[in-house]
Amino acid sequence: MAQRSRRATIYDVAQAAGVSKSLVSLVLRGSPNVSQARRTAVLAAIEALDYRPSQAAATLAGGTSQTVGVVIDDYTNLWFVELLRGLQEGLGEAGLRIAVSDRTLNAHVQADPLEGFLSTRVEALVVATEPTETMRYPNQIPLVVAGNRQRQVPGSDLAASDDALGARLATEYLIALGHRHIGHISGGDGPSALRRQGYTQAMLAAGYEPHVITVMPQTTEEHGYRGAQRLFEEHPESTAVLAGNDSMAMGTLAAARDRGLSVPQDLSVIGYDNSPLSGTHLLRLTTVDSRNRDLGLQVAEQILSKLAEPDRAAQVIQLEPRLIERGSCHTPRTTL
């Protein structure tokens, strides 16, 4: 069997061009500090040897990874699906790609989820999770915080949806349908806290008592199921539920089914985030569109802007959410 030819290395290119490995690295990085004669020799050697530089090797040699690091906190959270799609779309046009790290999943590996990205010399960082004191925030590269967070990162950009407004829109919609006993199943801090705030404001403004069930630390379907069970036990008069996100809304639908409640005839349910699942024929879930793809595009725009103008002032961008009406809401059977 014929052996496959060995792949050319940067050392082969240096030897063929009669230069040092470091000078080859300078040419690969597009450095202007190389004479035209030597640049021509290196490029000719690269073509003759069909050399394909290793991205990792180029990075270690002092180049950049053409990568933007993104730290999230839960791969199962549907909020990230459209955010990452918009982010990749926006960065892809500039020749950048994204690398994603799950802070919770990798907690046992490293204390600081940013360290791995910094060691590979990413172009920029996106923190799409709650910032912590243990994270080492770099000053030399752009950093954007995506989504509303409790802790601020000095000097960073922020891009988020108006979570309080979104929850208020959803609650006011249910009130306009005639619902008076509306429960809210919520998560912890950050966006969840603002959504609780918007819901509570709308209920109090209408003269109704808010009923919040907080389930922590995650906002999964299972947490939504448990929260809905508690709501039905503590407030059986509830005719509508605003869930903290679409995953929790799915758990609420399951809890309603197990209790013998029909949606939307007996119980109206609204989710949040307008995730891909919410629009399926099976769910037809009314939800708040937090415009996560647009958010990803906005984060990409902020990164590219900061790369072009490193000294520009930090930006805070807030997108306006909108309510998407589908088939999970109806007027209550009786107005109490």
Side-chain angles (χ1 to χ4, degrees):
M1 179 182 296
Q3 290 187 340
R4 186 171 54 182
S5 60
R6 181 178 65 87
R7 180 178 178 178
T9 69
I10 192 172
Y11 297 98
D12 296 325
V13 173
Q15 183 177 12
V19 300
S20 67
K21 178 183 73 70
S22 298
L23 192 137
V24 175
S25 295
L26 288 174
V27 173
L28 292 173
R29 288 156 51 190
S31 172
N33 301 318
V34 180
S35 70
Q36 186 58 47
R38 289 189 171 185
R39 186 185 307 278
T40 299
V42 169
L43 293 176
I46 288 174
E47 182 176 358
L49 295 172
D50 193 25
Y51 172 65
R52 296 292 181 269
S54 161
Q55 185 64 59
T59 298
L60 292 173
T64 57
S65 63
Q66 299 297 303
T67 300
V68 172
V70 185
V71 181
I72 66 175
D73 56 16
D74 184 4
Y75 270 117
T76 65
N77 189 334
L78 298 176
W79 183 83
F80 294 110
V81 175
E82 292 297 291
L83 173 78
L84 294 175
R85 183 164 76 94
L87 184 59
Q88 183 59 78
E89 286 178 10
L91 294 174
E93 296 179 359
L96 298 174
R97 60 176 177 268
I98 61 173
V100 182
S101 173
D102 186 324
R103 179 176 65 87
T104 304
L105 189 65
N106 295 320
H108 66 291
V109 178
Q110 55 185 17
D112 184 352
L114 303 184
E115 281 295 336
F117 287 136
L118 295 177
S119 66
T120 56
R121 300 177 185 173
V122 293
E123 302 277 2
L125 285 168
V126 178
V127 177
T129 182
E130 187 63 38
T132 67
E133 293 180 351
T134 61
M135 292 182 183
R136 182 167 69 90
Y137 305 106
N139 296 320
Q140 68 276 20
I141 64 173
L143 188 150
V144 181
V145 176
N148 290 300
R149 309 296 169 188
Q150 294 292 103
R151 183 185 297 275
Q152 303 298 314
V153 179
S156 69
D157 284 6
L158 171 68
S161 179
D162 191 337
D163 291 295
L165 173 61
R168 194 163 67 245
L169 289 174
T171 307
E172 289 172 348
Y173 173 74
L174 291 170
I175 291 172
L177 286 177
H179 293 279
R180 304 294 179 262
H181 302 284
I182 305 168
H184 177 43
I185 302 171
S186 177
D189 298 325
S192 294
L194 292 171
R195 293 172 190 181
R196 283 196 302 272
Q197 175 185 317
Y199 157 80
T200 301
Q201 288 175 342
M203 290 293 286
L204 294 177
Y208 306 134
E209 183 180 358
H211 297 301
V212 178
I213 302 295
T214 302
V215 187
M216 297 197 324
Q218 294 177 294
T219 54
T220 65
E221 179 186 5
E222 178 62 27
H223 287 79
Y225 183 83
R226 296 176 194 170
Q229 286 182 316
R230 280 181 50 194
L231 177 69
F232 299 151
E233 291 170 2
E234 297 175 16
H235 302 285
E237 73 280 8
S238 299
T239 61
V241 175
L242 169 61
N245 62 19
D246 289 344
S247 294
M248 298 183 87
M250 291 171 61
T252 300
L253 294 172
R257 176 204 61 200
D258 290 352
R259 197 175 179 87
L261 298 175
S262 176
V263 175
Q265 290 77 14
D266 300 319
L267 183 75
S268 290
V269 178
I270 296 184
Y272 206 111
D273 287 333
N274 193 30
S275 64
L277 284 177
S278 66
T280 60
H281 294 295
L282 178 63
L283 291 182
R284 299 183 64 242
L285 180 66
T286 295
T287 185
V288 177
D289 182 4
S290 49
R291 300 173 57 194
N292 293 333
R293 176 177 170 273
D294 290 342
L295 183 60
L297 290 169
Q298 176 59 51
V299 171
E301 183 178 322
Q302 287 173 288
I303 288 172
L304 297 176
S305 169
K306 194 68 172 177
L307 287 172
E309 301 179 68
D311 296 328
R312 74 155 171 77
Q315 296 178 344
V316 176
I317 304 295
Q318 193 170 59
L319 303 183
E320 186 171 321
R322 52 203 174 206
L323 185 71
I324 305 297
E325 298 180 42
R326 294 194 178 104
S328 61
C329 293
H330 199 272
T331 56
R333 289 186 183 274
T334 58
T335 302
L336 302 179

